[in-house]
Amino acid sequence: MSAPNLFLIYVTDVERSTRFYSDLFGIEPILTTPRYVPFEVAPGVLFALWSGRADTVTPSAPRSSEVGLMIPAARVEDTYTTWSAQGVTVVEKPHDEVFGRTFVIADPDGNLVRVSPLD
């Protein structure tokens, strides 16, 4: 069986979210369409923004997933400081969890982005 290689984030404004994630992660999309924008995050692995059917993805639609960025533990606090200075919406300030120091921000649609130390 193959491993998952496409991770979709539902967004309401593809252009706004493309700018947000491009700036946040310092990456550029490999393709831009009006409703789908993929970023290659590893060879053959895509992180993509998808508006789906505009009538089903609204700002009030509940979000049930979280994007994870695992980085060296020593960089967690610095990343929080950098992103906070950029004006991101902080959901959880840095704190200790069973897996180490972590924090959570939200994208413009309320999708969560968690930064944590490498496993």
Side-chain angles (χ1 to χ4, degrees):
M1 179 178 280
S2 298
N5 60 0
L6 174 61
F7 301 90
L8 294 170
I9 301 298
Y10 287 91
V11 299
T12 55
D13 184 329
V14 172
E15 287 182 27
R16 175 184 68 186
S17 294
T18 299
R19 285 190 306 274
F20 177 84
Y21 284 104
S22 290
D23 292 345
L24 190 70
F25 295 137
I27 58 177
E28 294 299 321
I30 60 172
L31 171 74
T32 302
T33 74
R35 298 182 330 170
Y36 175 75
V37 177
F39 298 85
E40 187 171 42
V41 294
V45 179
L46 298 179
F47 164 82
L49 308 174
W50 169 239
S51 67
R53 291 185 9 234
D55 61 330
T56 61
V57 182
T58 66
S60 62
R63 306 298 182 229
S64 60
S65 64
E66 174 173 298
V67 174
L69 176 64
M70 297 174 69
I71 59 176
R75 290 185 41 218
V76 171
E77 292 285 343
D78 290 341
T79 301
Y80 174 78
T81 300
T82 300
W83 288 3
S84 293
Q86 292 175 353
V88 299
T89 300
V90 175
V91 176
E92 293 179 8
K93 291 182 179 182
H95 62 281
D96 293 320
E97 281 290 349
V98 295
F99 48 81
R101 197 84 174 145
T102 187
F103 69 91
V104 179
I105 67 165
D107 77 2
D109 284 290
N111 294 301
L112 302 180
V113 179
R114 177 180 300 277
V115 175
S116 63
L118 292 165
D119 283 341

